[in-house]
C-alpha cells in the first residue's frame, strides 16, 4: 500500500501549491463575472456586442495567427538546416537562435522602434535608394506587432523543431531522391510530414505567447492597435474595472484553449491521412 501511495505523496506538495497559487486565484477572479444578482453571461454578451471590444479581439486573434504562420514558414527550414549541420557548428547556431530570448523584451521592442520608425533604418535605406519619396508608416501598426512577435517567439519554434528533425533518419531523404524526387519534393513529402508534431507544439507555444504578450504590442502597436493583454491592463489599472479585466482574461484563456484544440485536431487528421496513405 505504501508503494502505491508513494507517487501521490510525492505529487501532493506540487498539487497543493498549484491549487493555492493558480487554481484558487483564477477561480476568485473568474467566478464573479458570472454572477450579478444571479448566474448570468451578461458580462460576456456585452463584451462581444461592443464593436470596439470585438475589434480588439479579432485583431489579437489575427495578429497571433499570422505571427504563428510566419514562425512556421521561417522556423521549419531554419530548424532543418541546423539539424543537418555538423555537430561542431550546431551548438553555435543554436546559441545564435536563442540570443533574442536572452535580452529583455523592452530592449528588443525599442530596437525595433529604431528600425521601423520614420527615421529608422528601413525608411532611411529606402529613401536613400530612391524607392520611396516619404517615410512609410511601419511603426505602431499591426505589421510592427507581428514583426516583434515573430522575432520574440521564432526561437521557440526553431528549438522545438530541431529536436524533432534531428531524430529523422537522413537516409529517408536519400531514398526519396533515389526514387526520382528532387530535394525540395523529398523534403515536402518526407521530412515535413514527419515534423508535424514539432510544428504543432511550436505553433501552440508561439500562438499562446503572441496572444498573451503585453510589452511588445504596447510598445510597437501604440494606442491605435490595442491587443487583449493591453486592454486587460488598461481595464485593471487605468479604469479600475476589475470585473471587465476578469472577463477579458477568461476570453483570452478560452480563445487560446480553442485554438490549441484546433491545432491538436489538425495534427490528428494529418496523422490519419499518413496512416491511410501508408
Amino acid at each position: 500500500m505504501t508503494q502505491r501511495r508513494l507517487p501521490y505523496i510525492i505529487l501532493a506538495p506540487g498539487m497543493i501549491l498549484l491549487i493555492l497559487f493558480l487554481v484558487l486565484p483564477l477561480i476568485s477572479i473568474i467566478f464573479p463575472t458570472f454572477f450579478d444578482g444571479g448566474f448570468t453571461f451578461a458580462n460576456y454578451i456585452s463584451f462581444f456586442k461592443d464593436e470596439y471590444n470585438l475589434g480588439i479581439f479579432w485583431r489579437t486573434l489575427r495578429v497571433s495567427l499570422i505571427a504563428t504562420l510566419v514562425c512556421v514558414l521561417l522556423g521549419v527550414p531554419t530548424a532543418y538546416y541546423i539539424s543537418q549541420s555538423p555537430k561542431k557548428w550546431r551548438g553555435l547556431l543554436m546559441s545564435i537562435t536563442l540570443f533574442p530570448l536572452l535580452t529583455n523584451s523592452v530592449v528588443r521592442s525599442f530596437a525595433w522602434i529604431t528600425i521601423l520608425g520614420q527615421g529608422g533604418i528601413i525608411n532611411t535605406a529606402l529613401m536613400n535608394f530612391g524607392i520611396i519619396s516619404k517615410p512609410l508608416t511601419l511603426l505602431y501598426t499591426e505589421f510592427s506587432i507581428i514583426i516583434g512577435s515573430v522575432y520574440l517567439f521564432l526561437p521557440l519554434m526553431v528549438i522545438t523543431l530541431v529536436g524533432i528533425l534531428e531524430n529523422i533518419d537522413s537516409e529517408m531523404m536519400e531514398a526519396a531522391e533515389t526514387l526520382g524526387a528532387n530535394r525540395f519534393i523529398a523534403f515536402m513529402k518526407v521530412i515535413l510530414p514527419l515534423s508535424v508534431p514539432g510544428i504543432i507544439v511550436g505553433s501552440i507555444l508561439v500562438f499562446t505567447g503572441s496572444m498573451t504578450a503585453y510589452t511588445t504590442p504596447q510598445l510597437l502597436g501604440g494606442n491605435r492597435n490595442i491587443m487583449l493583454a493591453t486592454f486587460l491592463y488598461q481595464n485593471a489599472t487605468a479604469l479600475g474595472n476589475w470585473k471587465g479585466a476578469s472577463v477579458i482574461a477568461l476570453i483570452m484563456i478560452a480563445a487560446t484553449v480553442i485554438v490549441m484544440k484546433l491545432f491538436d485536431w489538425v495534427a490528428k487528421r494529418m496523422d490519419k491521412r499518413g496512416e491511410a496513405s501508408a
Side-chain angles (χ1 to χ4, degrees):
M1 292 294 292
T2 305
Q3 291 182 349
R4 291 181 179 178
R5 293 178 181 178
L6 184 60
Y8 299 101
I9 295 172
I10 295 173
L11 291 174
M15 294 299 295
I16 292 171
L17 289 174
L18 283 175
I19 292 171
L20 288 177
F21 296 105
L22 179 63
V23 177
L24 291 180
L26 187 62
I27 292 174
S28 66
I29 291 173
I30 302 302
F31 190 77
T33 63
F34 290 102
F35 289 90
D36 189 9
F39 186 80
T40 179
F41 289 101
N43 292 315
Y44 297 92
I45 294 172
S46 62
F47 178 90
F48 286 106
K49 278 186 176 180
D50 191 311
E51 292 186 3
Y52 179 74
N53 296 344
L54 202 58
I56 295 173
F57 173 79
W58 287 120
R59 180 185 300 116
T60 304
L61 197 61
R62 180 171 60 250
V63 168
S64 301
L65 289 172
I66 293 174
T68 302
L69 178 61
V70 174
C71 283
V72 171
L73 295 176
L74 296 177
V76 172
T78 303
Y80 181 70
Y81 178 79
I82 294 174
S83 67
Q84 298 300 307
S85 300
K87 289 185 178 181
K88 62 179 181 179
W89 295 110
R90 202 174 300 170
L92 176 62
L93 292 173
M94 287 297 294
S95 299
I96 295 172
T97 303
L98 291 171
F99 179 76
L101 298 178
L102 304 178
T103 56
N104 186 272
S105 58
V106 176
V107 175
R108 289 193 296 261
S109 298
F110 274 111
W112 280 109
I113 289 174
T114 61
I115 295 172
L116 299 174
Q118 291 195 348
I121 298 172
I122 294 178
N123 276 315
T124 301
L126 292 175
M127 292 180 70
N128 288 339
F129 284 109
I131 299 175
I132 57 174
S133 57
K134 60 180 182 179
L136 299 174
T137 305
L138 302 176
L139 192 60
Y140 306 127
T141 61
E142 289 186 17
F143 170 77
S144 61
I145 300 175
I146 293 170
I147 291 294
S149 299
V150 169
Y151 179 74
L152 181 60
F153 298 112
L154 181 59
L156 297 178
M157 177 67 73
V158 174
I159 293 168
T160 305
L161 285 170
V162 167
I164 298 292
L165 293 171
E166 282 181 338
N167 294 322
I168 298 176
D169 194 344
S170 59
E171 292 182 358
M172 298 183 70
M173 280 284 288
E174 296 175 3
E177 292 175 4
T178 302
L179 294 172
N182 59 44
R183 194 161 185 80
F184 177 75
I185 296 298
F187 177 84
M188 296 299 293
K189 294 291 186 179
V190 178
I191 303 299
L192 190 61
L194 293 174
S195 63
V196 166
I199 293 174
I200 296 300
V201 173
S203 297
I204 290 173
L205 292 174
V206 174
F207 178 83
T208 304
S210 301
M211 188 83 174
T212 57
Y214 169 77
T215 304
T216 299
Q218 175 65 23
L219 294 177
L220 297 182
N223 294 325
R224 294 183 179 180
N225 295 279
I226 296 176
M227 302 275 278
L228 281 176
T230 312
F231 194 37
L232 187 155
Y233 178 82
Q234 289 180 352
N235 274 268
T237 58
L239 302 177
N241 182 13
W242 285 96
K243 182 174 286 188
S246 300
V247 169
I248 298 169
L250 184 57
I251 290 172
M252 291 174 67
I253 294 171
T256 303
V257 170
I258 290 171
V259 173
M260 287 172 61
K261 292 294 183 182
L262 286 174
F263 283 146
D264 186 54
W265 178 80
V266 170
K268 290 180 179 178
R269 292 282 296 177
M270 293 188 72
D271 285 342
K272 289 180 179 179
R273 287 181 181 179
E275 292 174 0
S277 61

